[in-house]
Amino acid sequence: MNLGVTGKLGGYYLAEQYRKNAAADKNGGVSFAELAAAKAAGQPKVPGMSFKDMWQARFPGAYYHVMDGSAISQGAWDRNDFPFERFFSDHVDESILNWTPSGAEPPAGNSEVQSRWSSMAGKKAVIVPPALDEKMKNNPELAKRVMADVENFIATYPATPGCSYLIEVDENGGISKYRVTSPGQITVSSSEFVDARRAREAKHAEYERLAEEAALKRKLMEQETDERYYQTSITKKAVSIAAYEAAGILK
């Protein structure tokens, strides 16, 4: 199917198509990535949709923030008084990255806490580090993968209707922290989730270390091959000269 859509109308059409397919049977539906690919295929001069475009087309009204969310400690992130509602707006002051509590943590049943949680019902926001945002601009496939992971998290998370989602991704595109909130309760990224993220980071670091070692070994082998070739060439040349001298050619 050739969508052949452009501009704002095209973005609206893609979003509508995706919502219709998402409501249909999953086996017969078309994924957002496929719709984006179809759009790009129909217009080869138009670059693929950015992660921000996909995120806000899939979840209209969702917020997108480029900042280093890893600066927010897990302890601050988990608190009932952490001002996560600031992320559900178009602009967020980066001072939130250094937020510290001013007193004892209020209980979940606190009326002010409940009021804040209720005001965020149904909203979604994602925090993307600058390095990843830049990488995804130059790598549409990476953007699609990150979008698929985030969308799958929201689709499979056992939340009640009307929940708000605040998701932070790391520089590799993995979900590093989250807050899922519904009126009356909140679920934050658990210690198991954090441990799993750290395990992924350690595995990634180990992979990079092994890749560097493999690259170094290849370089050393290439150098050894070059040296052997050079030595062989010198030896052959010396033998040839000796043979010529023995035959009286070079006398």
Side-chain angles (χ1 to χ4, degrees), residues 1-246:
M1 177 177 65
N2 183 9
L3 298 179
V5 290
T6 60
K8 293 183 178 179
L9 179 60
Y12 174 80
Y13 179 80
L14 283 173
E16 287 301 305
Q17 283 296 109
Y18 186 83
R19 281 193 287 274
K20 290 177 182 178
N21 284 313
D25 180 75
K26 290 185 178 179
N27 293 327
V30 179
S31 70
F32 190 89
E34 289 171 331
L35 284 173
K39 176 188 175 185
Q43 301 178 58
K45 294 184 180 180
V46 178
M49 294 181 74
S50 68
F51 175 59
K52 180 180 180 180
D53 290 338
M54 288 188 281
W55 166 250
Q56 294 182 330
R58 175 63 183 89
F59 302 108
Y63 300 95
Y64 185 89
H65 301 293
V66 179
M67 57 174 55
D68 183 15
S70 66
I72 304 172
S73 70
Q74 188 70 41
W77 182 273
D78 292 349
R79 287 178 61 100
N80 293 328
D81 52 355
F82 177 72
F84 73 99
E85 65 273 11
R86 296 183 191 175
F87 288 101
F88 298 108
S89 60
D90 291 326
H91 303 288
V92 183
D93 191 296
E94 293 210 356
S95 62
I96 195 172
L97 301 178
N98 303 312
W99 180 86
T100 55
S102 58
E105 180 179 13
N110 178 279
S111 59
E112 182 179 344
V113 171
Q114 288 293 316
S115 177
R116 288 172 47 237
W117 291 356
S118 296
S119 68
M120 298 299 107
K123 297 184 179 182
K124 296 178 178 65
V126 65
I127 306 170
V128 179
L132 176 63
D133 184 65
E134 193 62 31
K135 283 192 289 187
M136 290 193 293
K137 288 178 182 177
N138 301 314
N139 188 342
E141 291 304 316
L142 173 61
K144 291 177 187 177
R145 179 178 65 78
V146 176
M147 180 62 206
D149 290 345
V150 171
E151 183 180 6
N152 182 65
F153 172 80
I154 293 174
T156 59
Y157 193 87
T160 57
C163 282
S164 67
Y165 291 84
L166 173 58
I167 299 172
E168 177 208 328
V169 294
D170 59 29
E171 291 189 359
N172 298 313
I175 297 175
S176 49
K177 292 198 292 285
Y178 65 84
R179 290 178 69 104
V180 180
T181 308
S182 62
Q185 66 179 17
I186 184 169
T187 303
V188 298
S189 40
S190 64
S191 59
E192 290 83 1
F193 185 89
V194 174
D195 290 342
R197 172 176 59 82
R198 289 173 178 168
R200 289 197 305 272
E201 291 174 348
K203 185 176 181 180
H204 181 75
E206 177 66 8
Y207 173 80
E208 289 189 336
R209 184 186 67 79
L210 293 174
E212 289 178 358
E213 287 184 357
L216 179 59
K217 287 180 180 178
R218 285 196 300 271
K219 186 175 181 179
L220 291 174
M221 289 177 65
E222 290 172 356
Q223 290 177 346
E224 290 176 358
T225 300
D226 290 342
E227 289 176 1
R228 285 198 298 269
Y229 177 79
Y230 176 75
Q231 292 296 333
T232 300
S233 298
I234 293 297
T235 301
K236 288 182 178 179
K237 185 175 181 180
V239 170
S240 297
I241 292 174
Y244 288 146
E245 289 178 342

